[in-house]
Amino acid sequence: MSSILLRFILACLLLPCLWTTAGAQAVSFPDLGSAVPGHEGTTYLDLARMVIPDLAGDKESFYRGSMPVEMRHIEGPDSGGSPPETSGLSNAAALDIEAGGKDRLAMLLDLGSSWDSAEGFAVLALYDLAGKPRLLDAVNVAVDRSTSFRDPGKLPVGPSDDAIITLSTHFNSSQGYVSTPLILVRDDRFELIDMIYTFNENLCAYKRTQELAFRTFADGQPYAAIKATVTDTTVPNGESCDDPAPKASSRDISVTYHWEGAGYVKNSDALDKLAGENANRF
């Protein structure tokens, strides 16, 4: 067997491992006044000012500004709340990604919520740092009160492409609501693949959790197929309660997204049905 063929086989065997390693890289939380690594003379504040032009630091290293530039919501024109009139930040959430074979920086700025909106306003911004830094795209990804990158914040969908995963949440004494946007970066623009809703309860009689996991696999398309699985688990607490405890149970609900020319298409509405079931439990 030739050495070229051996190297090709080894590369094919290592490719899934390389994707996994890339996906495991952590989100960083740099102070806005700190320099962007590898880009002397550029700070995260310089990048953030492309979104909030008048953002400025105070004596306590807190950064305040007014309205961000106009942007769309990741779900479309009928979604999203208003940004607050003033924003305050101490740091940013930064994530290095690849898109179309090019190095990009994704930065998430949770601006909080306005007085007339129950959900927050969180900016997901995409930057090209090759040469003079440029803002390529910015969208509002908030669908609940608090928004952050998921851990991990990216999912490799090819040897030189990453999808981005954020989440929006709020909690009360016994319930947790989680919305997870799965986002593709294509042609330096953010595109929503899907929005996945999960719901957790911790009651006297039982605890019910819904854990979301992703995996990818090649299926001969420019972007890998993505399988999203929610593990819905109910565990009795063993307490004496007014309501009877349900039986212990666990089930997996899965949907696979395949690339079909112009976008990802899911193979079932199982997660939409789960969201509907959850809504009846609110």
Side-chain angles (χ1 to χ4, degrees):
M1 186 179 293
S2 71
S3 61
I4 295 176
L5 181 57
L6 283 172
R7 286 199 297 268
F8 175 77
I9 294 172
L10 180 61
C12 291
L13 290 172
L14 288 177
L15 188 56
C17 300
L18 294 173
W19 291 6
T20 301
T21 300
Q25 293 176 0
V27 175
S28 63
F29 299 91
D31 181 276
L32 285 176
S34 62
V36 178
H39 301 278
E40 184 178 352
T42 299
T43 66
Y44 289 97
L45 179 59
D46 295 326
L47 302 180
R49 280 177 174 159
M50 298 182 190
V51 175
I52 307 173
D54 62 351
L55 195 65
D58 59 20
K59 296 180 180 178
E60 299 178 353
S61 297
F62 200 73
Y63 298 85
R64 301 182 188 277
S66 57
M67 300 284 282
V69 297
E70 187 174 346
M71 66 190 69
R72 69 194 185 281
H73 192 275
I74 191 63
E75 285 193 291
D78 296 329
S79 298
S82 303
E85 293 183 359
T86 59
S87 302
L89 300 164
S90 59
N91 59 19
L95 181 65
D96 292 318
I97 67 165
E98 282 191 288
K102 298 176 182 178
D103 292 330
R104 296 291 185 249
L105 177 70
M107 199 156 75
L108 184 63
L109 304 170
D110 190 345
L111 306 186
S113 58
S114 62
W115 65 270
D116 61 347
S117 178
E119 63 188 50
F121 195 99
V123 179
L124 179 63
L126 183 68
Y127 298 92
D128 176 6
L129 300 182
K132 184 178 180 180
R134 294 187 297 138
L135 176 65
L136 301 173
D137 197 16
V139 292
N140 175 17
V141 293
V143 288
D144 212 325
R145 296 174 191 168
S146 178
T147 300
S148 61
F149 282 117
R150 198 172 186 263
D151 184 18
K154 64 183 178 182
L155 179 71
V157 292
S160 57
D161 284 284
D162 296 312
I164 294 174
I165 312 172
T166 63
L167 57 84
S168 285
T169 63
H170 85 269
F171 303 90
N172 57 36
S173 60
S174 61
Q175 297 174 323
Y177 306 79
V178 183
S179 305
T180 305
L182 178 61
I183 301 166
L184 179 68
V185 182
R186 185 165 67 117
D187 298 329
D188 285 330
R189 297 271 292 178
F190 295 119
E191 299 179 6
L192 183 66
I193 299 173
D194 201 7
M195 185 76 68
I196 301 171
Y197 299 94
T198 50
F199 179 53
N200 301 315
E201 287 182 298
N202 191 2
L203 304 177
C204 175
Y206 67 93
K207 181 178 182 180
R208 184 172 177 180
T209 59
Q210 295 179 345
E211 297 292 336
L212 174 61
F214 296 98
R215 73 175 183 89
T216 61
F217 55 92
D219 65 350
Q221 298 298 320
Y223 297 103
I226 303 170
K227 185 175 183 179
T229 300
V230 174
T231 300
D232 186 3
T233 304
T234 299
V235 179
N237 285 335
E239 302 289 340
S240 178
C241 307
D242 293 336
D243 296 323
K247 293 181 180 180
S249 65
S250 182
R251 59 171 178 154
D252 286 344
I253 305 100
S254 296
V255 167
T256 300
Y257 304 86
H258 295 275
W259 182 258
E260 293 190 3
Y264 273 102
V265 177
K266 54 190 174 184
N267 69 345
S268 84
D269 61 354
L271 293 178
D272 297 320
K273 289 180 178 179
L274 177 65
E277 294 173 11
N278 289 341
N280 292 330
R281 294 163 48 212
F282 292 169

